[in-house]
Amino acid sequence: MDASSESEPTATKNPTAVERRSEREMVITRTFDGPARLVFEAWTKPELFKRWWLPKSAGLKLRSCEMDVRVGGGYRLEFDVGGPEPMAFFGRYLDVTPHARLVWTNDEGGEGGAVSTVTLEEKGGKTLVVMHELHASKEALDAALGSYDGMGETFEQLAELLVTL
């Protein structure tokens, strides 16, 4: 993956920028057509989150999605990966500020798991989303780089969901 990339802008969609900002940091940025309230709900309600998280082209299915969105609460996502055991991602919420900010851990990586921060800034009916991921080391980020390849598609799926809400 390049150090930074941007999805192709069109007349109907906003570009998603994926940028490596340092040895340990990735930042994904996109403006969505919709209020921060709806973007926050799409990020925190399992029935909505399941509809957009994970690029469809990955060919994976989100088997289950559990979220206890409060400081100290946790989440667990399980994906079908073609075998008998699902692949699980889980962690806990460190900060939950409705319609403005979410911070969570990615504990499946042990103590070296990244910390993700999403901020929402609404202006004129649009919401700027900045997703910042801080990895424990350069090596941890290097190992995770492939997971950022589908972020443009994932955020496009979020944009498509938002117009239906």
Side-chain angles (χ1 to χ4, degrees), residues 77-163:
L77 309 173
E78 291 187 355
F79 301 93
D80 281 327
V81 291
E85 296 297 320
M87 178 173 56
F89 292 90
F90 51 92
R92 60 195 151 78
Y93 293 99
L94 303 177
D95 186 9
V96 178
T97 304
H99 313 158
R101 181 177 157 96
L102 284 169
V103 181
W104 67 88
T105 63
N106 295 273
D107 295 340
E108 69 281 352
E111 291 183 17
V115 174
S116 301
T117 301
V118 171
T119 57
L120 311 175
E121 183 179 333
E122 183 177 336
K123 285 186 181 172
K126 297 180 183 274
T127 301
L128 171 64
V129 172
V130 178
M131 181 176 179
H132 176 267
E133 295 203 316
L134 179 62
H135 291 264
S137 66
K138 175 187 180 304
E139 292 75 21
L141 174 54
D142 288 346
L145 281 177
S147 65
Y148 295 100
D149 290 346
M151 288 307 298
E153 183 179 352
T154 298
F155 274 22
E156 183 60 27
Q157 291 168 182
L158 173 56
E160 292 168 5
L161 172 66
L162 290 171
V163 298

